[in-house]
Amino acid sequence: MKKSLYIIITFFLIGTLNILGQNQAKMANLSQKASIESIYVHYSNNLLLTGEYLFFRIDVINKKQSNYSNLSKLGYVELLSAKGDRIAIKKVTIKDGMGDGEIFIPTNTPSGYYKLIGYTKATRSGQFSTFFKDDIVIINPYTNEQKVFWPNNESTVDGNLEDLKSGAKLDNNSNRNPIELQLNKSVFSTRDRVELQLEAPKNLQGSYSLSVRKLTNPLTYSIKKNPFNAGLKNERAINENNKIIPEVRSEIIQGTLRALNNEVSAANRKIAFSLPGFNNEFRIVNTDNNGDFAFNLEGRNLESNLFYKILDGQIQDFKIEIENLPILEVAEEEILPFILTPDMENSITKRSVYNQIENAFYGLKPDTVLLENVKISEFGNKFISYELDEYTRFPSFKETLVEVVDNAWITNQGGKSSIFVRDTDATRETVGYEPLVVVDGLYVTDHQSVINYPASKIKTIKVFRNQYTFGGTIYQGIFQIETFEKDFFNLYADLYANLELLRPDVPKKRFKQLYGKEQETSIIPDFRHQLYWNPYLRVKNAITVDYFFTSDVPGEYVIELEGFSDNLSPIRSVKKFTVK
């Protein structure tokens, strides 16, 4: 066969596991690149009640080039307990150096002090891990266990009790080059439109986070970090895990294949991984001498259920352990205490009741998922596609193949039925290689399972006739099937195993409450404390306009705009207003 007919597609970090076999010089180069990244996390509030959301944006800055980093493609934000236990971890896609997400505080979270941590795998791949860190207070109003917030006479923190009861005051310090926040008025009614005008000098154009929330006095905590008091100065800790690989192209999944008995070895095994779904992803990887492997996922499909099959062994003889990121060993340090006092009871009770009502109506205020609804083939676009509804339907797969699909057929040799794909020279002779058969993103070696599948459930058949190399194996073409119900795996579950992955948060457009001309007056209760959160407010002109609506909760509110300009100037602007 002509060499021009061979298509060899090389996937980054798959196949022969070259990523884990990189020499020390290459890994040192990656670590050196990683050291130029600095992390900053904008977030909505540093005093939360259980049942509330913490919204955040993570910025990845290239300190050397003084711009947003294009190195890491994934970022991580964690919530750690005071003892260093992992309470929550979020993986977010980084685009143009920015990513955003949310952390829900479960109602069973104990009252106490917590740490918000932000990093990338790149900032944790060298000798030292560098990361963003700030302290957060969480109050669980459904429990009497509040001793952690009782006054401590032995506290060495400077300041009198009145200072500690209310925490440090809101940071109102103006910027050296401020972006001015102007409102259409200073006092608003409930469900009123607030028009916000931002006036910025040309040199302060950029993408900023904008938070609008209620000030629940006296229920406040210390001044949270901002671009001025934290900037790009990250925390530092010794990195004891040298296996962390920077995600410089896309998401990386690392793991180990373990043998369950002494009669088999996990070394140099071939594994097929499938991530079914609308944009399915498929990988074949080899383990190294220790059973370790790594592969990348492109992020077109954010399903977390990963299926796998041992291609050169029995699945019951092995198990796979996905390597989770180790918890950061954050150094213990004294933090500013939060003192719980009787005058806070009413504020906590009201806010807790409002949270319960808001959560009850959460389904009526949905966010919008921003995934592209475009089918992207895992194997390129040089397929001959057959949409079976456009043809006469036949009851069996065999008949469908004969009557509808060109250049593919079924052979029977030694009692085994196999699918074959004709090569591009239009010969019928068997070339010695079977095609790569994939159904709904699942790699299929037992072709009989496909042949027995009801043709009425098949939506599309695609045939790729060129010879194809994938995961170190040569295939005579690709035979790809997409079903209507994506239920092929359910019929042949014994052929595969599955495991749960930590995947990036699905990108969303946050729900924006509208009233007046934008929306008819609603009878749905509106007890939002967080009126608005926009992680990507683009300030690109001298005057930028935005708006939001107040809720049914009166009181004092604060608007906080913060982040870094395009030239990395730190920005923080604050504006208060009242709702009556």
Side-chain angles (χ1 to χ4, degrees):
M1 181 169 291
K2 297 179 180 179
K3 290 184 178 180
S4 61
L5 298 180
Y6 287 79
I7 293 183
I8 300 177
I9 299 181
T10 303
F11 285 88
F12 181 69
L13 307 181
I14 65 174
T16 59
L17 247 194
N18 59 345
I19 188 165
L20 293 180
Q22 294 181 68
N23 58 42
Q24 292 183 352
K26 289 183 178 180
M27 291 304 293
N29 184 47
L30 278 175
S31 297
Q32 184 177 7
K33 288 183 177 180
S35 67
I36 67 175
E37 282 192 343
S38 184
I39 307 300
Y40 179 75
V41 179
H42 323 216
Y43 65 99
S44 53
N45 201 354
N46 64 352
L47 191 149
L48 297 155
L49 270 58
T50 57
E52 294 182 338
Y53 285 87
L54 184 152
F55 300 101
F56 65 82
R57 169 177 143 177
I58 181 171
D59 285 357
V60 185
I61 307 296
N62 185 318
K63 295 182 293 184
K64 184 176 181 180
Q65 298 179 358
S66 296
N67 56 21
Y68 281 92
S69 175
N70 60 3
L71 177 65
S72 292
K73 300 301 184 289
L74 279 300
Y76 298 81
V77 174
E78 294 196 43
L79 196 62
L80 303 182
S81 71
K83 295 181 180 179
D85 298 323
R86 178 178 283 157
I87 305 301
I89 178 171
K90 290 289 184 174
K91 181 189 292 191
V92 296
T93 301
I94 302 297
K95 184 177 181 180
D96 299 325
M98 309 170 198
D100 75 291
E102 63 188 34
I103 295 175
F104 178 72
I105 310 300
T107 54
N108 61 352
T109 305
S111 295
Y113 299 97
Y114 293 82
K115 297 184 185 300
L116 187 70
I117 306 293
Y119 56 86
T120 65
K121 281 189 176 180
T123 65
R124 296 191 60 184
S125 63
Q127 181 181 1
F128 293 93
S129 293
T130 58
F131 52 93
F132 172 93
K133 178 180 72 66
D134 204 2
D135 297 317
I136 285 178
V137 162
I138 294 177
I139 300 174
N140 187 334
Y142 310 109
T143 177
N144 292 324
E145 292 296 325
Q146 309 291 351
K147 291 183 180 180
V148 66
F149 300 137
W150 289 4
N152 180 0
N153 294 329
E154 297 179 359
S155 174
T156 59
V157 177
D158 294 333
N160 59 41
L161 183 58
E162 291 302 316
D163 292 331
L164 298 179
K165 284 198 302 183
S166 60
K169 304 303 179 184
L170 180 70
D171 181 13
N172 289 311
N173 294 331
S174 60
N175 300 353
R176 287 166 291 181
N177 296 302
I179 293 178
E180 293 188 16
L181 307 179
Q182 301 293 336
L183 299 178
N184 53 322
K185 52 187 176 181
S186 59
V187 179
F188 297 84
S189 59
T190 59
R191 303 195 179 193
D192 200 359
R193 179 185 173 103
V194 181
E195 295 182 1
L196 174 64
Q197 181 174 288
L198 300 90
E199 300 181 6
K202 186 176 181 180
N203 66 321
L204 294 185
Q205 294 181 1
S207 178
Y208 302 100
S209 68
L210 181 68
S211 173
V212 184
R213 62 182 174 88
K214 187 177 185 301
L215 292 173
T216 315
N217 293 319
L219 204 60
T220 59
Y221 186 47
S222 65
I223 297 175
K224 64 186 181 72
K225 288 184 178 177
N226 62 57
F228 279 99
N229 64 27
L232 305 179
K233 300 176 182 178
N234 281 180
E235 305 282 337
R236 201 176 190 206
I238 295 176
N239 179 19
E240 296 181 353
N241 189 320
N242 296 320
K243 294 173 66 176
I244 296 177
I245 304 171
E247 292 170 306
V248 297
R249 171 183 164 181
S250 60
E251 181 182 7
I252 293 175
I253 307 299
Q254 294 175 249
T256 302
L257 181 68
R258 304 287 188 193
L260 298 179
N261 61 69
N262 296 328
E263 298 179 359
V264 295
S265 170
N268 304 310
R269 294 283 180 175
K270 187 168 291 188
I271 313 170
F273 290 97
S274 301
L275 195 67
F278 181 72
N279 273 314
N280 54 70
E281 297 199 51
F282 170 69
R283 300 287 184 269
I284 295 178
V285 303
N286 289 351
T287 64
D288 65 8
N289 292 334
N290 298 316
D292 294 334
F293 62 84
F295 62 92
N296 74 310
L297 292 174
E298 297 296 337
R300 300 188 297 262
N301 177 354
L302 296 182
E303 293 292 330
S304 59
N305 207 7
L306 181 70
F307 300 104
Y308 66 91
K309 180 180 177 65
I310 313 299
L311 299 185
D312 50 3
Q314 300 300 314
I315 202 164
Q316 63 268 20
D317 293 334
F318 302 91
K319 72 173 181 178
I320 285 181
E321 297 175 354
I322 294 297
E323 184 171 325
N324 296 317
L325 278 166
I327 299 176
L328 273 162
E329 296 293 334
V330 180
E332 292 187 9
E333 58 185 18
E334 189 172 21
I335 63 173
L336 181 71
F338 170 79
I339 305 300
L340 193 63
T341 58
D343 59 335
M344 297 178 181
E345 181 179 1
N346 185 51
S347 297
I348 293 174
T349 300
K350 280 187 176 180
R351 186 162 151 183
S352 177
V353 171
Y354 291 158
N355 286 338
Q356 293 179 60
I357 296 173
E358 279 296 293
N359 289 334
F361 287 93
Y362 181 80
L364 300 177
K365 304 176 181 182
D367 297 327
T368 304
V369 175
L370 296 178
L371 289 177
E372 294 184 6
N373 191 27
V374 178
K375 181 70 175 178
I376 302 173
S377 174
E378 176 72 13
F379 307 103
N381 57 6
K382 295 183 179 180
F383 279 90
I384 304 170
S385 182
Y386 300 89
E387 298 289 338
L388 296 191
D389 278 349
E390 298 177 0
Y391 300 82
T392 300
R393 281 281 183 176
F394 294 89
S396 71
F397 178 83
K398 287 183 179 180
E399 291 172 291
T400 301
L401 214 58
V402 171
E403 301 295 340
V404 178
V405 181
D406 295 327
N407 301 306
W409 68 95
I410 297 172
T411 64
N412 291 281
Q413 296 181 350
K416 177 186 176 183
S417 296
S418 299
I419 299 170
F420 275 90
V421 171
R422 181 178 287 114
D423 62 56
T424 50
D425 282 344
T427 62
R428 190 176 175 82
E429 290 79 17
T430 301
V431 295
Y433 305 121
E434 292 184 349
L436 175 65
V437 178
V438 180
V439 182
D440 294 334
L442 293 170
Y443 175 72
V444 179
T445 55
D446 178 16
H447 294 189
Q448 189 66 51
S449 63
V450 178
I451 296 169
N452 294 341
Y453 190 77
S456 61
K457 293 187 174 184
I458 297 176
K459 180 178 182 290
T460 308
I461 294 176
K462 294 183 178 181
V463 178
F464 179 78
R465 294 175 58 192
N466 285 357
Q467 204 166 92
Y468 183 86
T469 300
F470 192 80
T473 300
I474 299 176
Y475 298 93
Q476 173 44 50
I478 303 171
F479 193 89
Q480 189 173 5
I481 292 176
E482 180 183 347
T483 70
F484 286 106
E485 301 297 330
K486 306 292 188 294
D487 64 347
F488 181 82
F489 173 79
N490 296 332
L491 300 176
Y492 303 97
D494 58 326
L495 302 178
Y496 304 88
N498 68 294
L499 45 86
E500 196 77 11
L501 297 179
L502 172 67
R503 301 304 313 282
D505 268 8
V506 177
K508 299 175 182 177
K509 180 181 179 181
R510 302 293 171 187
F511 173 79
K512 189 172 186 177
Q513 183 65 61
L514 303 175
Y515 291 114
K517 295 180 180 180
E518 290 84 358
Q519 178 177 307
E520 294 297 326
T521 301
S522 174
I523 62 173
I524 299 173
D526 186 355
F527 293 119
R528 290 170 295 132
H529 275 58
Q530 184 77 42
L531 295 184
Y532 189 40
W533 168 258
N534 185 347
Y536 305 112
L537 178 61
R538 182 67 191 173
V539 177
K540 58 182 178 181
N541 299 310
I543 303 294
T544 301
V545 177
D546 201 358
Y547 72 95
F548 55 90
F549 283 86
T550 62
S551 66
D552 295 333
V553 183
E556 187 179 26
Y557 287 78
V558 61
I559 303 172
E560 296 173 299
L561 179 84
E562 71 172 42
F564 299 92
S565 67
D566 290 339
N567 60 14
L568 292 191
S569 295
I571 296 297
R572 176 173 168 79
S573 296
V574 177
K575 185 80 172 180
K576 293 181 181 180
F577 64 93
T578 301
V579 176
K580 291 185 177 180

